[in-house]
Amino acid sequence: MYFFIINKIITMYIIKKNLAVALLLSAAANAQNTQEKINLEPTSDSKVSFGIKGGYSLSQMKFFDSKLDSKSYFYAGIVAEQPVSSKVSIQAEALCTQLGGKQAYSYLYINDPDMSIVDNTIEFDYQLTQIQIPVSVKYYFIPNLSASVGMNFGINISEKVKTDEIVNGSTSRNYENIKTLNLFPFLGAEYKLTDNFFVDARYHFNFIEVNKGALPTKIGFLQAGVGYRFK
């Protein structure tokens, strides 16, 4: 009788022990599979995000140290962002805009009917139409606020000088001796209003000349606008 009871207890102990071992092994296997999935499958935060953006551009051009009147225009394009950590990401864009400046010259001419001397003004509008490729590194201070530093590669597709009066038989002519590729280092900031909408602003410094002639020409400009990221 006692032998039967002891044998029953030992048998139940062995069964429970084997069951516990089996449960531990199953839990370990599930944890391993979960970890492998986590390692193999990227999180949503690490995926590339795409979006569109547009806004206002204000540029100022200068010859030597003489500043021209500022020129306002719009910009629009696409944006892509690749996170590299929880705080840092790389952003690239393709934008279309126009840079330049305006300059007015006064001149005198003789009015034929009464031979009076007339003081007149003619305005020159310098227009560099560009496809811009800004590339930047962004640092997130908080999830919604980031600062950026980068380089904007401006590819000129048109360089024109336009006047409000006929000069040498035309009111528009090519702006000579402008580099095809212009470089603009910049600093900027962005704030996410929601998961999709954001506002940003950046200033591009006029450290590098845009021309290849004898007249040193530089352009600095501000861009501020809004954007939408697709999820």
Side-chain angles (χ1 to χ4, degrees), residues 28-59:
N30 288 334
Q32 180 66 26
N33 290 335
T34 301
Q35 183 63 38
E36 288 177 355
K37 288 181 179 180
I38 292 174
N39 291 337
L40 292 175
E41 297 176 3
T43 63
S44 59
D45 292 338
S46 66
K47 294 180 180 178
V48 180
S49 64
F50 297 92
I52 56 176
K53 64 183 298 187
Y56 173 76
S57 179
L58 181 67
S59 59

Side-chain angles (χ1 to χ4, degrees), residues 120-131:
N120 197 20
T121 301
I122 183 171
E123 186 175 89
F124 290 80
D125 186 0
Y126 300 89
Q127 302 177 357
L128 304 184
T129 303
Q130 294 188 339
I131 298 296

Side-chain angles (χ1 to χ4, degrees), residues 1 4 30 43 45 57-59 63 98 102 127-128 144-145 150 157 178 185 203 211:
M1 180 67 178
F4 174 77
N30 288 334
T43 63
D45 292 338
S57 179
L58 181 67
S59 59
F63 301 143
Q98 189 179 100
K102 296 181 179 181
Q127 302 177 357
L128 304 184
N144 287 350
L145 177 64
I157 58 177
I178 294 296
Y203 185 77
N211 71 316

Side-chain angles (χ1 to χ4, degrees), residues 36-129:
E36 288 177 355
K37 288 181 179 180
I38 292 174
N39 291 337
L40 292 175
E41 297 176 3
T43 63
S44 59
D45 292 338
S46 66
K47 294 180 180 178
V48 180
S49 64
F50 297 92
I52 56 176
K53 64 183 298 187
Y56 173 76
S57 179
L58 181 67
S59 59
Q60 188 167 64
M61 194 173 189
K62 69 177 185 178
F63 301 143
F64 291 100
D65 292 326
S66 178
K67 294 182 180 179
L68 280 62
D69 293 335
S70 58
K71 179 181 181 63
S72 59
Y73 206 71
F74 69 90
Y75 70 88
I78 57 176
V79 56
E81 182 175 355
Q82 170 65 69
V84 295
S85 74
S86 61
K87 291 286 188 179
V88 180
S89 66
I90 304 297
Q91 182 164 295
E93 306 165 37
L95 309 175
C96 181
T97 190
Q98 189 179 100
L99 305 178
K102 296 181 179 181
Q103 191 174 35
Y105 287 99
S106 295
Y107 66 95
L108 301 176
Y109 73 93
I110 298 176
N111 191 20
D112 287 338
D114 56 6
M115 300 301 291
S116 61
I117 297 177
V118 179
D119 186 2
N120 197 20
T121 301
I122 183 171
E123 186 175 89
F124 290 80
D125 186 0
Y126 300 89
Q127 302 177 357
L128 304 184
T129 303

